[in-house]
Amino acid sequence: MNDIHVSGLACFPEERWREAILHYLFGVWADKQDVTYRPKINFGDITLRLDPSGGEYFAYGHAEVPQNVPPLGPDDLVETSGRQADVEVALIRFVKNNRIKQLRLCVVCDQKVNRAQLVLWKKARRGEYGYAGIGLPYTWGTRGPVWTREEYERSF
């Protein structure tokens, strides 16, 4: 399922993915409590979360990496910084610019992995999008990234 959840409160179906991202961004920029109390956006099983204290984004999730992640095109966008302003500008450009078919957000996880990627792409049918997490931790706990399902299950 490609539904998008914003801050755990608002849910958008796949065909409204642009609206979901805009809802999230405008909520953060306007400091709306329903978004900023838990600043994250979930693309299926993958979460992009803002650490407001550090002004950095990180991502995690346990979705299978699909085999059909498209190659980068000449107009596609790769953001190598996890800084809040950089990620949010990249997201708004991806939503608003129809020439950009794919966005790769390279977010820093920790010393185990230099870069992990959240990949979003526009599919041929308008209203459909794809997502993938490449090298992302399985989840994020109070002590930071948890890399495997086994590691996660042992923590209980």
Side-chain angles (χ1 to χ4, degrees):
M1 198 80 170
N2 288 346
D3 288 353
I4 300 175
H5 295 265
V6 176
S7 302
L9 292 177
C11 180
F12 296 84
E14 176 180 11
E15 63 272 7
R16 292 176 47 205
W17 66 267
R18 292 174 195 264
E19 183 182 343
I21 293 172
L22 292 174
H23 176 82
Y24 173 76
L25 291 173
F26 293 155
V28 169
W29 296 337
D31 199 25
K32 290 189 175 184
Q33 186 63 28
D34 64 330
V35 174
T36 58
Y37 90 100
R38 200 171 182 193
K40 67 178 184 173
I41 185 167
N42 293 63
F43 302 94
D45 290 335
I46 297 178
T47 301
L48 179 64
R49 182 175 217 138
L50 172 64
D51 173 9
S53 64
E56 294 275 333
Y57 275 93
F58 58 95
Y60 56 91
H62 49 272
E64 295 289 322
V65 177
Q67 299 300 318
N68 60 347
V69 176
L72 282 170
D75 291 325
D76 292 342
L77 185 58
V78 177
E79 179 52 60
T80 59
S81 164
R83 290 189 315 254
Q84 181 177 355
D86 296 337
V87 170
E88 291 170 1
V89 166
L91 284 168
I92 196 79
R93 288 185 61 206
F94 177 68
V95 169
K96 293 291 192 176
N97 188 336
N98 288 330
R99 288 195 337 241
I100 298 172
K101 301 296 181 198
Q102 183 180 159
L103 169 63
R104 288 185 182 232
L105 296 174
C106 303
V107 290
V108 177
C109 288
D110 73 356
Q111 285 69 33
K112 278 189 176 183
V113 171
N114 290 335
R115 297 280 180 197
Q117 293 182 0
L118 168 60
V119 184
L120 302 173
W121 67 90
K122 299 169 186 170
K123 292 188 176 180
R125 289 187 62 196
R126 183 160 173 82
E128 290 184 357
Y129 80 101
Y131 66 93
I134 301 171
L136 297 178
Y138 180 78
T139 190
W140 204 278
T142 56
R143 296 183 203 140
V146 177
W147 292 97
T148 65
R149 181 184 181 110
E150 293 77 26
E151 198 178 4
Y152 173 72
E153 289 171 350
R154 279 195 310 264
S155 68
F156 290 108

